[in-house]
Amino acid sequence: MDDNGFDWGTFLRRWQDEWVPSEDEAMELAEGETTLADLTLAAPPASEGEVADAERRLGTRLPPSYRAFLLASNGWSLRDDSMYQLGAAHEIGWFGDPFGMTPMYRENLDERATEQQVLLAGMWERALQLETDSDMSYALLDPGDTDEDGEWALYVYKGWSGEYPDRYPSFRAYMQRRYESFHAERAQLPEFVNDTTRARDADVARAREEALSGRWEAARELLALARRYGRPGAWGMLGQLDVLSQGFGRGNTFFGGLVADPRCTDELVPVMALAHVRDSLPGRPERPFVLGVETDDGIRAAADAIHARVGDGSYRYAPDGEWGQVVAEAREAARWGDTDGAWRMIRAALPSWSPPAPGLIAPLGLLADPVLGPVVTRERGRELLATPRAGRPGTAPEPVPDLDPPGLGWLAASQRWNAPFGSYRCLWVEGVEPEALPGLVGQDAGAGLTAPPVRPAGWFPHDVRPRRDDVAPWEDRAVVAVGRTGSGWAFGFDPAARTRGPGRLFVSPAAETSRGGRAVVLWVCRGRDDTPGVFHLSVAERGEELYAYTLRGTDVERSGPVPGALDPERVLSGVGDADRERRLLAALEEEFGLSLPRHALAEGILPELTTRSWNRAPREGEVFAYATISSGRSRP
């Protein structure tokens, strides 16, 4: 921090003039334990001679900002945090490491230690101690940690905290932060109004206009400054910017007093509830859902209801008006896999979005919707923030690229889809809507699609459900994510089949599901160790299987006339498993126009269906063997 041109006299007088007692100090005054005179912050300035005497005694010239401070006020009463008094020029002295901190810090240094870690380890023996009254805390200027302006870094070490000291690049930076903390501590006092509070509140108002106009980075700078001063209006808007610009799960989900405004409940509380649900550890007692501010009973009841719906996956972001209609249409598109199309709808409607309350600057409720939330990625969150909203003029940003690659080739490039089993399978049906799949391939007559389960942070896209008691050992029921391709085929995709590919009891569901048109079944099991890969393809039309084949290593079982473009002798011969997979996916894409939506599958937002078994029952006289493995702690 360059101290040139900084007027310490003006800065310190403003601080002194703005001073009002904190709640604790007001209590001390009321009880007669102290007087207003005792609470004076400033001291008379030191003379040039007094500063020079201190420098001769210490054997060094003091850093510029601290020297200028002494010439404006020879000491200072901080009266906040755990540091109470900065000493005068004749009171300061070398720290000398009286507690033996140097060996403790140096023993942790190794070849990977950073320059800052090395500086900190040596700081204790060479630091200049500034405070004369504190709660086991020390203000230490380090002459070994300097910048191009000759400033010494200042470290604040709180001996009772067990933490590393806080570093400030200069004495001025430290005092500026203490001034901001002085403001923040008193921000809620109704009588604490002055030119500085008015200026910071004006920054908050200007930041709102900047944010709604798409200039969110400029808004964040203004709000970050206002928040350091404790200005109430800054917290909520800065929290919204953080969540959208850093990506959900990374940003701050504290929105200050905005949560107490009933007009903000539907936008903010669902995001807080989702963060709480995701952070809850399975098997542990549930932590209370805390809003962080006092609210009335109505908002608390609404928050509890929202939390319950977020927890069971039934929450839906449903704003009013034209914006709400667009949200509903976008959800319907994303519900079946078209997340890119859903985002285009939302993006086009953003300029007309209007905040239901002055403190809201973005439609944050989108993030808590189980279908639309995953659509708003970190990059799209920033695109949203850069788009002028609420009728503000401005130029829309360059659209971020779509998330879904065309076709099927991405399946061969992504290992995530097959963790941990190395297998995936898919069924495509032409000419039907996704809602029709339960009637064609569902395990129970009349059963419909189910919403995807609420997934904790870090979930893996494979079926972790326990085997049902009513499932026979030979059965192989797939749990598939259901959606619609861009060319109109309904699909059901199982990202991690439990079995190692089609066995001798396997019966392709293609024929049964093709009663209204064509159906395609693909099953890929990647090879591992000495086990070759398995590739199955079957195609049916109007209830009849047209052709099928299963390739294991070099052995092919086939039936029906396979078209040349899909023939295994042409597509799968002469190459390794990885190339076989890529070739087969490319051939299917070319022959049928098939695709799968990567983002919707990756985020687990598609409805699910448990299919009928892909194995038939053993016939009379057929032998079927299986093993069950269970794990658990043995009892003594």
Side-chain angles (χ1 to χ4, degrees), residues 300-330:
R300 181 69 255 180
D304 289 340
I306 289 172
H307 184 270
R309 294 201 302 275
V310 169
D312 65 19
S314 63
Y315 173 78
R316 299 293 181 269
Y317 177 56
D320 297 329
E322 294 183 7
W323 170 246
Q325 294 176 9
V326 171
V327 167
E329 292 171 4

Side-chain angles (χ1 to χ4, degrees), residues 33-71:
E33 296 179 6
T34 187
T35 66
L36 284 174
D38 296 327
L39 300 177
T40 300
L41 306 180
S47 67
E48 186 67 46
E50 288 175 307
V51 174
D53 286 344
E55 290 175 331
R56 280 192 294 272
R57 175 172 55 85
L58 298 168
T60 186
R61 184 174 177 83
L62 296 173
S65 65
Y66 182 58
R67 198 175 197 280
F69 160 76
L70 291 174
L71 293 172

Side-chain angles (χ1 to χ4, degrees), residues 242-295:
D242 283 349
V243 168
L244 284 166
S245 65
Q246 297 179 36
F248 187 71
R250 301 174 184 267
N252 170 35
T253 54
F254 175 67
F255 305 108
L258 273 183
V259 179
D261 186 338
R263 297 171 296 178
C264 302
T265 301
D266 290 338
E267 294 286 355
L268 303 182
V269 171
V271 176
M272 300 174 71
L274 183 57
H276 181 266
V277 169
R278 285 184 171 179
D279 290 343
S280 297
L281 297 175
R284 299 283 183 87
E286 184 174 336
R287 298 176 295 109
F289 176 44
V290 179
L291 297 179
V293 294
E294 289 189 17
T295 63

Side-chain angles (χ1 to χ4, degrees), residues 38-170:
D38 296 327
L39 300 177
T40 300
L41 306 180
S47 67
E48 186 67 46
E50 288 175 307
V51 174
D53 286 344
E55 290 175 331
R56 280 192 294 272
R57 175 172 55 85
L58 298 168
T60 186
R61 184 174 177 83
L62 296 173
S65 65
Y66 182 58
R67 198 175 197 280
F69 160 76
L70 291 174
L71 293 172
S73 178
N74 195 17
W76 191 261
S77 178
L78 288 166
R79 297 200 63 80
D80 72 341
D81 198 39
S82 60
M83 202 76 64
Y84 306 144
Q85 183 68 43
L86 297 177
H90 68 279
E91 295 176 307
I92 61 176
W94 297 112
F95 184 56
D97 193 11
F99 308 114
M101 306 296 289
T102 301
M104 294 171 52
Y105 276 75
R106 282 183 173 163
E107 71 181 10
N108 292 322
L109 298 178
D110 56 27
E111 65 276 3
R112 295 172 296 179
T114 65
E115 180 183 359
Q116 190 57 53
Q117 289 171 325
V118 173
L119 285 172
L120 177 58
M123 180 270 297
W124 308 96
E125 293 181 339
R126 61 177 179 255
L128 182 65
Q129 183 176 355
L130 305 186
E131 92 294 336
T132 58
D133 187 16
S134 70
D135 177 13
M136 295 179 62
S137 297
Y138 307 91
L140 306 174
L141 274 174
D142 181 10
D145 187 353
T146 63
D147 64 14
E148 64 274 10
D149 299 314
E151 292 290 355
W152 303 1
L154 186 145
Y155 290 85
V156 173
Y157 176 59
K158 300 174 181 177
W160 42 265
S161 71
E163 299 175 352
Y164 285 99
D166 295 321
R167 181 186 181 276
Y168 301 85
S170 68

